[in-house]
Amino acid sequence: MEEIKPKRKANTQVTGEHAPSARRAGRTDKNQQNGNAAARKNNKRRAPRSTAASENHAAAQSVPAPRPRRARNAQQGQNPQSAGTKSPRRNRKPAPRSYEMTPAIPMHICPLGGLGEVGKNITLYECQGDMILVDCGLVFPDADMFGVDLVIPDFTYVLENKDRIKGLFITHGHEDHIGSLPYLLKKFNVPIYAARLTIGLIKNKLEEHGLASSAVFHEIRPRQKVKLGCFTVEPIHVNHSIPDALAFAIECPAGIVIHTGDFKVDYTPLSGDAVTDLSTIAEYGRKGVLALLSDSTNAERPGFTATEQTVAEGVRSLFARARNRRIIVATFASNIYRVQQIIDLAIESGRKVAVSGRSMVSNTEMARELGYLHAPDTVLIDIDEINKYPPEKVVLITTGSQGEPLSALSRMAQASHRQVKVGPNDFIIISARPIPGNEKTVTKVVNGLLSLGAEVIYENMYDTHVSGHACQEEQKLMLTLAHPQFFLPVHGEFKQLKRHAETAEHLGYIPKQNIYIAENGQNIRISADGMTVENTVTAGAVMVDGYGVGDVGNVVLRDRHHLSEDGIIIVTAAVDGSNGQVLSGPDIVSRGFVYVRESEELMDGLRMQVEMALDRSLSDNMHDWASVKARVREALSSYIYRRTKRSPMILPILLEV
């Protein structure tokens, strides 16, 4: 006993619940007591264990790891209290490894549009099998998309997972965020979560497609959270060029993602609207934001975006300058703020207000019904009545600020509008900047209006328009308040995404490796452990041409481009099916290539080339009509290029008799 007294003395330093249990277990072995001492040191750093748990931990550190069979027995329900009284060799539980961390729960962010382009915004979020969508917009076609009316996202991946998608959240009511909804709802009637005005704008759009009655709407408001599956979404008020613009704080087991939508920070907003809710964003920043997806449209512009108040003053001065002339203001049909400004100024100057353009009329009526637009009945008049008033008593608000071919302003510029004849007594204000790609169409409209004698105020001549998107300083503010672990710039062309990423990097809050410029279709796996691109999904552009959706693809566009540049030649001939002899023809029809009456020599040469090709096919005993057509096409193509340096489309048609 003399030899173990020092050991007992050491044991008395353990808290009272540990030392007696060690004595009751009869642990007199020297190695076992050393294990108890190690356990006591660890217990000073951790919360106290139960008696049995302390003994098990000590035993585990003093003996080798248990064999698989014994470990399996321990898992089959041994009583921890009784286990503490058994010999150390029968209670060999492995010690927990503090350095082994459970992997963080991941989520997937899959942008299906809006990256590398301005418009067509749609993003899919997934976590633990649940999915939600944010926005569903369109983009207008480029100049080389001949005949295409609209371009919408490819919904293939959405439709493949429609059973897992809980809802669609809309940030605001602009076309690049709601424009493709009718085409999605025709295939998948997903519940829509949006603010009041946004729902009104969507319903107007769905009326044209006969879908308004079947759509499922849920009105949401800032700071009112919505729970769908494992997602909890909180709308956050932001400033934009349209009321009821929202950002979304998307919370799920993986963390919090803030999706800003289109935003700016306007400290003097119109119509009593609130400033962007920076305090809520900062609150989430203090909680910890996993990722921020932020608007990049104005990422190349330094400073702050101007307030809407500057437009009010600029337009007021133009109203005074118009004097005794009729005022025509062209703006976006969804820009309710701008329409309200114009109505207020018309009331100040004692003028009546009329609206022109289908979308402008429907949006104005809807906004008045919902209380977003205030206009006395005594001020508004029908467009058919504008000629009953002198020019100095009329203001006309119209669509066509982007030079759309069928818009009201375009028809006025072409002198084809039924109610409005533009002349020297008109003062026209285009209260919008051309969207990139629309500069030529806007210029064409301006030239037409000027040629009719009107005075036109356009682009940056005066303060008639301010952007609804954040410039660099506002983007920095958003990044600083949200303070995300990861940052993905969205909503912009690549040069804008790149500049936004550089702005975030220069702030120094986010490591460079945590900033990523994504592409449409990339399936991005993101968690507290890191960010990777797992794979790509189907994403791209679907062309809408009239009633056709997706039936115009790259091949059709290439043919249209070919026809627009070089025209077409159609060759027809009737051929005896038994011996290949030409019975009639060949006849040649040309469209968009040359004027036939002035090119008879060329047309005769073309006929000769066709006859020679058919004769060679007959002599070679060639009865495969596809091969014969190919030989005719090659002969004509070579001859035409030698003579004209052009390459028209050639369509041989052989009628077998």
Side-chain angles (χ1 to χ4, degrees):
M1 294 297 295
E2 293 296 326
E3 294 181 359
I4 63 173
K5 280 183 180 179
K7 310 293 189 291
R8 287 184 186 276
K9 187 174 182 180
N11 286 341
T12 60
Q13 296 177 5
V14 189
T15 54
E17 67 173 331
H18 293 91
S21 63
R23 289 194 297 271
R24 283 195 300 270
R27 293 178 179 159
T28 58
D29 181 77
K30 180 178 179 180
N31 291 337
Q32 183 62 53
Q33 291 171 9
N34 290 339
N36 286 342
R40 288 194 298 273
K41 289 180 181 179
N42 290 335
N43 285 336
K44 290 180 182 179
R45 301 185 184 95
R46 293 194 295 267
R49 301 175 183 268
S50 65
T51 302
S54 300
E55 292 171 355
N56 292 345
H57 184 67
Q61 292 194 358
S62 61
V63 298
R67 296 176 182 175
R69 180 176 59 82
R70 292 180 180 175
R72 205 163 43 242
N73 292 339
Q75 293 174 2
Q76 292 173 357
Q78 288 183 356
N79 188 340
Q81 296 296 333
S82 62
T85 61
K86 294 182 181 180
S87 65
R89 289 186 61 81
R90 295 187 58 82
N91 186 33
R92 295 171 178 172
K93 264 182 116 177
R97 298 182 180 180
S98 59
Y99 57 84
E100 289 184 359
M101 299 183 64
T102 304
I105 297 174
M107 72 181 300
H108 291 81
I109 302 175
C110 188
L112 301 174
L115 300 184
E117 59 190 351
V118 177
K120 200 158 63 67
N121 299 294
I122 178 171
T123 307
L124 187 143
Y125 292 89
E126 176 190 358
C127 185
Q128 293 186 333
D130 294 331
M131 291 181 173
I132 59 172
L133 285 167
V134 175
D135 288 332
C136 190
L138 58 75
V139 68
F140 292 104
D142 296 332
D144 59 349
M145 294 182 180
F146 300 99
V148 175
D149 299 322
L150 304 170
V151 182
I152 63 175
D154 189 330
F155 296 125
T156 301
Y157 189 66
V158 173
L159 298 176
E160 288 174 353
N161 295 277
K162 63 181 181 180
D163 294 335
R164 297 199 286 158
I165 296 176
K166 305 300 181 182
L168 167 60
F169 290 84
I170 303 294
T171 56
H172 63 281
H174 280 155
E175 286 291 307
D176 57 334
H177 293 260
I178 67 171
S180 62
L181 264 173
Y183 303 97
L184 176 61
L185 294 181
K186 288 176 182 178
K187 300 179 179 179
F188 173 33
N189 195 16
V190 58
I192 300 170
Y193 295 80
R196 192 180 181 199
L197 177 65
T198 307
I199 290 176
L201 292 168
I202 294 172
K203 284 183 176 179
N204 280 350
K205 179 170 290 296
L206 296 183
E207 287 285 355
E208 302 174 8
H209 295 263
L211 297 170
S213 59
S214 60
V216 180
F217 291 100
H218 299 275
E219 184 179 328
I220 57 176
R221 297 180 180 179
R223 304 305 304 272
Q224 292 186 350
K225 296 183 178 181
V226 179
K227 183 168 180 59
L228 295 179
C230 69
F231 290 99
T232 300
V233 181
E234 179 176 356
I236 303 172
H237 170 75
V238 294
N239 298 134
H240 191 40
S241 56
I242 186 173
D244 277 357
L246 300 171
F248 293 121
I250 303 169
E251 191 168 357
C252 64
I256 299 170
V257 174
I258 293 181
H259 187 116
T260 68
D262 292 351
F263 82 99
K264 68 176 180 178
V265 181
D266 192 342
Y267 296 108
T268 55
L270 295 173
S271 305
D273 200 4
V275 180
T276 293
D277 190 354
L278 300 175
S279 61
T280 298
I281 294 168
E283 182 181 335
Y284 276 106
R286 288 189 291 271
K287 261 192 221 179
V289 173
L290 177 65
L292 172 68
L293 282 74
S294 186
D295 176 20
S296 306
T297 307
N298 276 349
E300 298 172 292
R301 297 184 182 179
F304 291 86
T305 304
T307 174
E308 286 284 341
Q309 298 288 354
T310 61
V311 176
E313 294 304 318
V315 176
R316 180 178 283 109
S317 66
L318 291 175
F319 268 53
R321 176 176 165 180
R323 296 179 183 173
N324 296 328
R325 288 175 287 180
R326 180 173 61 183
I327 298 174
I328 300 175
V329 183
T331 188
F332 293 107
S334 60
N335 197 339
I336 306 300
Y337 287 142
R338 195 67 43 79
V339 174
Q340 183 68 65
Q341 284 178 322
I342 297 164
I343 292 174
D344 293 341
L345 292 172
I347 295 172
E348 285 183 18
S349 57
R351 294 174 181 257
K352 302 292 184 180
V353 178
V355 294
S356 177
R358 183 179 58 181
S359 57
M360 182 68 74
V361 171
S362 60
N363 287 353
T364 301
E365 291 176 353
M366 179 272 300
R368 288 188 70 203
E369 291 175 1
L370 297 180
Y372 289 89
L373 193 63
H374 306 283
D377 293 334
T378 56
V379 173
L380 292 178
I381 62 173
D382 191 86
I383 191 170
D384 293 324
E385 301 176 358
I386 60 174
N387 294 323
K388 298 179 181 179
Y389 295 87
E392 66 272 12
K393 292 296 182 181
V394 175
V395 173
L396 177 62
I397 307 174
T398 182
T399 57
S401 61
Q402 298 303 308
E404 300 93 326
L406 300 179
S407 65
L409 190 64
S410 294
R411 286 183 280 122
M412 293 177 199
Q414 297 167 8
S416 61
H417 197 287
R418 287 182 297 175
Q419 292 97 346
V420 183
K421 302 299 180 185
V422 173
N425 284 331
D426 289 310
F427 187 85
I428 302 175
I429 303 169
I430 299 180
S431 183
R433 290 194 183 96
I435 295 172
N438 292 348
E439 294 87 355
K440 288 185 178 180
T441 56
V442 173
T443 300
K444 182 179 179 181
V445 170
V446 170
N447 287 334
L449 296 170
L450 291 172
S451 66
L452 294 173
E455 183 176 353
V456 184
I457 306 299
Y458 57 95
E459 293 192 29
N460 298 322
M461 295 175 68
Y462 295 89
D463 290 329
T464 61
H465 178 72
V466 295
S467 176
H469 301 270
C471 290
Q472 288 179 2
E473 294 304 316
E474 295 149 282
Q475 292 172 349
K476 291 177 184 177
L477 182 60
M478 179 64 70
L479 285 160
T480 302
L481 294 179
H483 207 147
Q485 182 178 351
F486 300 98
F487 174 57
L488 285 78
V490 294
H491 300 179
E493 297 177 357
F494 184 81
K495 62 177 183 176
Q496 296 159 340
L497 303 179
K498 178 69 173 177
R499 184 61 61 87
H500 202 176
E502 291 172 353
T503 298
E505 183 183 345
H506 292 160
L507 282 177
Y509 300 133
I510 309 170
K512 184 176 181 180
Q513 63 270 22
N514 288 4
I515 301 172
Y516 182 64
I517 301 175
E519 297 177 5
N520 291 335
Q522 288 186 332
N523 194 355
I524 303 167
R525 183 184 188 274
I526 188 169
S527 71
D529 295 339
M531 174 172 56
T532 58
V533 177
E534 281 200 343
N535 52 30
T536 57
V537 302
T538 303
V542 174
M543 318 295 177
V544 178
D545 186 357
Y547 290 117
V549 180
D551 55 353
V552 175
N554 291 330
V555 175
V556 174
L557 286 179
R558 186 176 67 243
D559 289 344
R560 290 181 179 182
H561 190 265
H562 191 181
L563 290 169
S564 72
E565 288 187 336
D566 297 307
I568 185 172
I569 291 177
I570 302 173
V571 180
T572 61
V575 181
D576 190 329
S578 60
N579 55 25
Q581 292 288 341
V582 177
L583 300 178
S584 67
D587 296 321
I588 297 178
V589 179
S590 170
R591 291 292 182 270
F593 172 53
V594 293
Y595 187 48
V596 175
R597 292 184 180 179
E598 296 181 356
S599 306
E600 293 182 1
E601 181 183 351
L602 177 63
M603 303 308 289
D604 290 339
L606 294 179
R607 291 188 189 92
M608 187 178 298
Q609 292 295 321
V610 175
E611 292 172 354
M612 292 169 59
L614 292 174
D615 290 341
R616 285 197 301 271
S617 300
L618 179 60
S619 62
D620 293 341
N621 200 24
M622 184 181 293
H623 295 287
D624 179 7
W625 299 118
S627 301
V628 174
K629 290 179 182 180
R631 179 170 287 185
V632 171
R633 188 182 299 111
E634 291 171 2
L636 283 182
S637 177
S638 176
Y639 177 78
I640 291 172
Y641 189 78
R642 289 197 310 270
R643 291 289 305 271
T644 66
K645 297 298 180 183
R646 302 181 198 173
S647 299
M649 182 179 290
I650 301 171
L651 293 181
I653 300 175
L654 301 181
L655 304 177
E656 185 178 358
V657 179

